[in-house]
């Protein structure tokens, strides 16, 4: 069976020809942000992408979204190469939630009106069902119905992130990419958003890709782990295998440096 998402020898380069590059005195050598990466994500699974800052995690997933162009290689979705310009159905099918939910929510709009508009514009459900669907979406992310009339200013960080997730889910994506979706939140709220992501996998069947610095998140939510370093994938496989017997020295270092639950043995502390 082909994977839902197949990344095939993908590379992304950023030119160094702009004003900043000139200021830094670096003329031409491009930054190779993603360097010949291949990986597959099977439908219904959850994959965690970890790796140090600047290792290319966001760039890789932004290229899946169509926000960064590939210098070489190919990305296939449901077995078909993703074109530079995408049809509406494909754009709907791949959704992303970002680290700082506040910045992507329009401060002037109520939560309800944002969701209603999305459902209507994309004709996700007939007009007569929009209202009920908004209620269902809020339920799905465990927000009270009263949130509907609230504007972002009144929401906590965790609530905003839930709205962000509801907005992504409104389009009934096959693939949900969460880029540091919990790292702006405090620890308790992080845990509740993690619970939510784990639960949504089960209830909606959505395929998840979580970019994170948090190895516990990967261990708790994901089936597969991908470790990136300097634009390359240095390790990938089932979470248990990657954490218990890392084959790459960098992964071993990463696990050793993780402060909490994830130990090299894969056991939680008693
Ligand atoms: N728009 C851009 N223009 C130029 N260089 C970029 C751009 N976006 C990313 N880069 C560079 O590409 C490399 C990979 O960055 P990326 O944001 O993908 O890393 P990351 O793994 O997501 O890091 P973090 O964990 O800090 O989010 C870095 O060297 C970064 O400086
Ligand atoms: Mg990033």
């Amino acid at each position: 069976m082909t994977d839902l998402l197949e990344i095939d020898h993908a590379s992304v380069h950023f030119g160094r020809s702009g004003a900043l590059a000139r200021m830094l005195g670096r003329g031409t050598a491009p930054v190779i942000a993603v360097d010949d990466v291949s990986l597959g994500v099977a439908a219904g699974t959850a994959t965690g992408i970890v790796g140090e800052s600047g290792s290319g995690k966001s760039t890789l997933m932004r290229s899946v979204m169509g926000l960064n162009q590939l210098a070489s290689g190919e990305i296939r979705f449901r077995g078909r190469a993703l074109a530079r310009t995408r049809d509406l159905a494909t754009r709907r099918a791949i959704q992303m939630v970002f680290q700082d939910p506040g910045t992507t929510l329009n401060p002037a709009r109520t939560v309800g009106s944002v969701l209603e508009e999305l459902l209507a514009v994309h004709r996700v459900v007939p007009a007569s069902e929009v209202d009920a669907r908004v209620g269902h979406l809020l339920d799905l992310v465990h927000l009270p119905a009263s949130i509907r009339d609230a504007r972002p200013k009144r929401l906590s960080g965790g609530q905003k992130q839930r709205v962000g997730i509801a907005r992504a889910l409104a389009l009934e994506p096959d693939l949900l990419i969460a880029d540091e979706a919990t790292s702006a939140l405090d620890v308790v709220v992080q845990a509740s958003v993690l619970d939510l992501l784990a639960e949504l996998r089960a209830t909606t069947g959505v395929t998840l890709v979580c970019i994170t610095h948090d190895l516990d998140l990967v261990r708790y939510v994901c089936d597969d782990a991908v470790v990136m370093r300097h634009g390359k994938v240095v390790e990938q496989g089932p979470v248990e295998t990657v954490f218990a017997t890392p084959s790459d020295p960098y992964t071993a270092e990463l696990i050793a440096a993780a402060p909490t639950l994830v130990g090299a043995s894969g056991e939680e502390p008693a």
Side-chain angles (χ1 to χ4, degrees):
M1 203 190 77
T2 55
D3 288 328
L4 178 71
L5 176 70
E6 298 163 280
I7 299 175
D8 190 0
H9 296 286
S11 295
V12 180
H13 300 172
F14 292 111
R16 271 203 179 132
S17 52
L20 180 65
R22 279 197 299 278
M23 224 168 67
L24 295 171
R26 301 187 190 119
T28 46
V31 176
I32 302 174
V34 173
D35 190 2
D36 194 26
V37 165
S38 295
L39 67 94
V41 176
T45 62
T47 299
I49 303 184
V50 299
E52 63 195 2
S53 185
S55 58
K57 306 178 298 291
S58 297
T59 303
L60 180 66
M61 284 303 131
R62 285 173 57 85
S63 63
V64 170
M65 287 290 292
L67 299 171
N68 288 139
Q69 300 307 324
L70 297 186
S72 57
E74 187 174 80
I75 298 176
R76 291 184 294 277
F77 188 69
R78 297 197 201 105
R80 289 172 55 190
L82 286 172
R84 210 172 245 264
T85 50
R86 300 180 179 182
D87 57 34
L88 204 60
T90 307
R91 273 184 280 158
R92 253 185 73 175
I94 307 175
Q95 292 293 316
M96 196 156 171
V97 272
F98 297 92
Q99 173 169 7
D100 187 356
T103 58
T104 62
L105 293 175
N106 183 339
R109 302 279 308 276
T110 64
V111 170
S113 72
V114 167
L115 294 175
E116 281 160 24
E117 184 181 284
L118 262 182
L119 293 169
V121 166
H122 291 271
R123 297 171 203 265
V124 181
V125 290
S128 61
E129 291 170 27
V130 164
D131 194 56
R133 179 58 68 93
V134 170
H136 172 72
L137 283 166
L138 294 177
D139 255 8
L140 207 57
V141 298
H142 303 303
L143 283 171
S146 58
I147 287 280
R148 234 176 136 136
D149 300 319
R151 290 186 172 76
K153 197 173 64 180
R154 258 193 47 206
L155 305 179
S156 70
Q159 286 175 327
K160 281 183 204 162
Q161 195 53 280
R162 284 165 196 270
V163 171
I165 294 170
R167 194 173 52 174
L169 290 176
L171 300 178
E172 301 179 331
D174 296 318
L175 178 63
L176 182 64
I177 301 168
D179 190 352
E180 305 283 355
T182 62
S183 50
L185 308 172
D186 72 47
V187 176
V188 175
V189 182
Q190 271 187 28
S192 70
V193 174
L194 289 193
D195 277 335
L196 175 62
L197 288 175
E199 183 190 314
L200 288 172
R201 261 191 78 192
T203 51
T204 68
V206 72
T207 304
L208 272 181
V209 173
C210 302
I211 300 172
T212 182
H213 286 104
D214 180 353
L215 295 190
D216 284 338
L217 183 153
V218 177
R219 183 146 173 272
Y220 181 55
V221 177
C222 301
D223 309 297
D224 294 300
V226 171
V227 183
M228 288 187 72
R229 191 178 198 201
H230 302 321
K232 288 183 179 296
V233 169
V234 293
E235 186 133 34
Q236 65 188 113
V239 166
E240 291 310 322
T241 314
V242 168
F243 286 169
T245 53
S247 61
D248 185 89
Y250 171 67
T251 312
E253 248 174 69
L254 205 66
I255 292 168
T260 52
L261 298 177
V262 181
S265 65
E267 293 297 318
E268 287 184 26

